Amino acid sequence: MFPIYFMIISSFGDPVEAGAVSYSIWPGKFTLESYKFFFDYSEYSYRWLGNSLLVAVCVMVSNVLFATMAGYAFSKIQFRGRNVLFAVLLCAMMIPYQVTQVPLYILIVNIFEIQNTYSALILPSLVTVYNIFLAKQFMSTIPKEILESAKVEGCSQLQILFRIVMPLSKTVMAVMAILTFMETWNTFFWPFLVTNTMDMQTIQVGLKNFRFANTTYFAPMMAGATISALPMFVLFFSLQRYFLEGVTVGAVKG
């Protein structure tokens, strides 16, 4: 909790103390000038927040939709090579995130040439193996008798998915949405790689603009970090029930 406390307390410091060599855990005076400085410093301050929100929402929606469809296919549809394909996906999940960044960067920048666009920020994260695994494990617990009854009534696979499986999977879908939104909102490395203008930066990348060679606008940077953390605080405390349920998703069958 101390880093969070230090971030919030420091955000109420005076912007003119930005270049101070030593920092205290209690500011000399409390002021909102650093928050004002954050929004006045750059014309793109609001744009950074909007970019983060747009990218996080798009990635969240695509992950919930595609991971749910893939989880249903792997858990309830029999097709040739299903187990092999799922094993390949699990192996891909073992590869460290940093290892894939260079080839992914070459694809986005050199081959597709879509750097510094929303597509470059969104497309690489359309769906993650972790969310597919989470959905598959949860949907494996849905009784197959329910789906067989739907087939007898003449439902197609898509009708079964959207009318039966998805309503029964609200918990895991909520967990995927929350975790994906938080991960996308907080990510720094990939947006930093593929954006080269201030108007396309997300809030996490935009905060680096408060650091210069000779000094750092410390209090305004902490103010921006506090603002960027607020959606996470609200999201966590309002939906923490789903976090607790998500800990055991797919862990128990019966």
Side-chain angles (χ1 to χ4, degrees), residues 5 33 83 119 207:
Y5 162 81
E33 287 300 314
N83 294 333
S119 298
L207 290 176

Side-chain angles (χ1 to χ4, degrees), residues 63-74:
N63 266 269
V64 171
L65 178 62
F66 294 135
T68 301
M69 295 173 69
Y72 171 68
F74 281 119

Side-chain angles (χ1 to χ4, degrees), residues 38-135:
F38 171 76
F39 288 108
D40 293 343
Y41 171 77
S42 173
E43 59 179 315
Y44 300 111
S45 296
Y46 291 100
R47 180 70 180 264
W48 297 336
L49 291 169
N51 289 343
S52 289
L53 182 61
L54 175 63
V55 173
V57 169
C58 290
V59 172
M60 177 188 70
V61 171
S62 68
N63 266 269
V64 171
L65 178 62
F66 294 135
T68 301
M69 295 173 69
Y72 171 68
F74 281 119
S75 62
K76 298 301 181 183
I77 300 178
Q78 297 291 335
F79 58 90
R80 182 177 298 178
R82 183 184 69 167
N83 294 333
V84 175
L85 181 58
F86 188 67
V88 171
L89 287 178
L90 291 182
C91 291
M93 192 167 62
M94 306 300 176
I95 301 175
Y97 174 78
Q98 293 79 4
V99 173
T100 62
Q101 295 309 290
V102 173
L104 187 59
Y105 178 82
I106 294 174
L107 283 173
I108 294 297
V109 175
N110 297 339
I111 297 179
F112 297 125
E113 297 182 352
I114 56 174
Q115 71 272 22
N116 204 47
T117 64
Y118 290 116
S119 298
L121 294 170
I122 295 172
L123 290 180
S125 304
L126 281 179
V127 65
T128 64
V129 178
Y130 177 78
N131 284 333
I132 294 175
F133 174 76
L134 200 64

